[in-house]
Amino acid sequence: MNHMTSDNLRSAFGGESQAHMRYRIWGNLAKKEGFENIARLFEATSDAEQVHATLHFNALKDVAGDFPVTSMAGFGIGTLKENLEGAKGGEVFEYTQMYPAYIAVAEMQGEKEAVRAMRFAIEAEKVHAERYQAAIDAVEAGKDLEADKILLCPVCGYIGFEEIEKCPICGAKGSVFVAY
């Protein structure tokens, strides 16, 4: 694998891994504050970030060894709204800046598996930002997120609020989705 794509995949792996843990922490705080559905959204999105990290790790199958990993990551604990805004901001950064640049490099270098992994992530991150905006709107209205179901596609990281026959990003059957 070309070193630029390898560096980018490791950076994306680091960012997704950190988001995975950050969302777990923020979800636990939301639950303590009585926002059960927002806590479930954080949990599902945390697991989606793990899906993305795993896709990136697997795309690095021919790369082994120890490497420094530089990645963008937000830190801090704020109010529920601030945590949701931080989560949304991270998702927007990934789909507007990080992944488009990384995909362009991987395409130029002919790294098809890397492109596939990052395309799944970029499309899922767009949906994550929408879901976080819905949660922000709910908090601004003094309510929890209205979501009877929160469903995660374990193949690409898509998150939906209703059952579907197949994932709009990767085509996985809705029957394999994980419920939160």
Side-chain angles (χ1 to χ4, degrees):
M1 173 176 286
N2 187 287
H3 78 278
M4 287 178 66
T5 295
S6 178
D7 287 347
N8 289 344
L9 279 171
R10 284 191 300 274
S11 175
F13 171 83
E16 299 290 0
S17 298
Q18 290 177 65
H20 165 67
M21 290 309 303
R22 184 173 49 252
Y23 295 164
R24 285 278 181 216
I25 293 165
W26 288 344
N28 289 336
L29 294 170
K31 188 172 187 170
K32 286 179 185 176
E33 292 181 32
F35 290 87
E36 294 289 329
N37 292 337
I38 290 175
R40 290 187 306 126
L41 176 61
F42 272 126
E43 182 181 357
T45 313
S46 171
D47 289 349
E49 304 306 348
Q50 184 177 4
V51 167
H52 298 158
T54 301
L55 288 168
H56 302 332
F57 193 86
N58 289 340
L60 286 161
K61 66 181 177 267
D62 297 329
V63 178
D66 296 325
F67 301 90
V69 176
T70 303
S71 60
M72 183 73 166
F75 287 88
I77 296 172
T79 65
L80 179 57
K81 183 180 174 194
E82 289 168 341
N83 294 342
L84 287 165
E85 287 171 342
K88 179 186 171 192
E91 303 296 315
V92 171
F93 167 77
E94 288 179 352
Y95 78 75
T96 62
Q97 296 180 49
M98 185 184 86
Y99 281 121
Y102 289 0
I103 289 169
V105 170
E107 285 176 336
M108 179 183 70
Q109 296 175 339
E111 299 289 356
K112 292 179 182 174
E113 190 170 347
V115 170
R116 178 182 171 271
M118 290 187 276
R119 286 204 185 282
F120 281 174
I122 199 172
E123 294 306 317
E125 304 300 13
K126 291 175 186 177
V127 176
H128 299 172
E130 292 172 6
R131 304 301 183 225
Y132 281 132
Q133 184 60 56
I136 291 166
D137 293 344
V139 168
E140 287 177 341
K143 302 179 202 173
D144 195 0
L145 178 68
E146 290 186 28
D148 292 331
K149 295 181 181 186
I150 298 176
L151 302 166
L152 167 67
C153 176
V155 176
C156 71
Y158 170 82
I159 294 174
F161 289 162
E162 57 189 39
E163 291 185 28
I164 54 177
E165 286 190 34
K166 70 176 191 170
C167 178
I169 294 173
C170 70
K173 291 181 180 180
S175 61
V176 302
F177 279 37
V178 178
Y180 294 82

